[in-house]
Amino acid sequence: MRQPPQPSLSRREREIMDVLHREGRATVADVRAALARPPSYSAVRALLRILEDKGHVRHEIDGPRYVYLPTMAREQAKRSALHHLLHTFFQGSESQVMGALLNLSPKGLDEGEMRRIKQLIDDALVKGR
């Protein structure tokens, strides 16, 4: 019986999860091809099995191959990653995150992006968030 997903992942497990969330689904060979300095085929297969045992990944059989998929929806994974980032590096301060995002690009944000951000803030104020 599978356990609910556990949050702590090794660096390599996190890299594999990043590939799966980016691609949506992938074989062992696909995962290896997407990793920088990939471990052996057997090591990737073992890591995917560990991720499956932890509840982060499931597989489907496609002919002779296993195709791996994340168990968490992409939107839910984005929220979870953002929550982790917010509390790990910004002491829970949304304004610190926004400040970091605004200063991330050396060129700054273009006018269209600034308008979209302003609209999101205005919408949140109207909704009372």
Side-chain angles (χ1 to χ4, degrees), residues 24-85:
R25 54 191 295 125
T27 64
V28 173
D30 297 332
V31 170
R32 279 196 81 234
L35 293 174
R37 295 184 326 206
S40 70
Y41 184 93
S42 297
V44 172
R45 193 175 62 218
L47 285 163
L48 284 162
R49 171 53 86 195
I50 290 167
L51 286 166
E52 197 165 17
D53 289 343
K54 288 182 175 183
H56 293 282
V57 169
R58 66 183 179 86
H59 74 270
E60 295 176 351
I61 299 173
D62 181 20
R65 303 176 309 165
Y66 278 16
V67 178
Y68 294 88
L69 304 91
T71 57
M72 186 182 293
R74 185 179 176 94
E75 285 304 312
Q76 185 180 357
K78 285 194 306 192
R79 282 192 303 277
S80 176
L82 207 55
H83 183 267
H84 175 74
L85 184 75

Side-chain angles (χ1 to χ4, degrees), residues 5-45:
Q6 300 168 1
S8 75
L9 298 175
S10 70
R11 177 187 56 81
R12 189 59 93 174
E13 290 169 342
R14 169 74 1 233
E15 289 174 350
I16 291 171
M17 290 305 302
D18 290 346
V19 170
L20 292 175
H21 280 292
R22 188 172 48 249
E23 301 299 324
R25 54 191 295 125
T27 64
V28 173
D30 297 332
V31 170
R32 279 196 81 234
L35 293 174
R37 295 184 326 206
S40 70
Y41 184 93
S42 297
V44 172
R45 193 175 62 218

Side-chain angles (χ1 to χ4, degrees), residues 95-106:
S95 63
Q96 285 185 28
V97 172
M98 288 300 297
L101 289 171
L102 291 171
N103 293 319
L104 191 60
S105 171

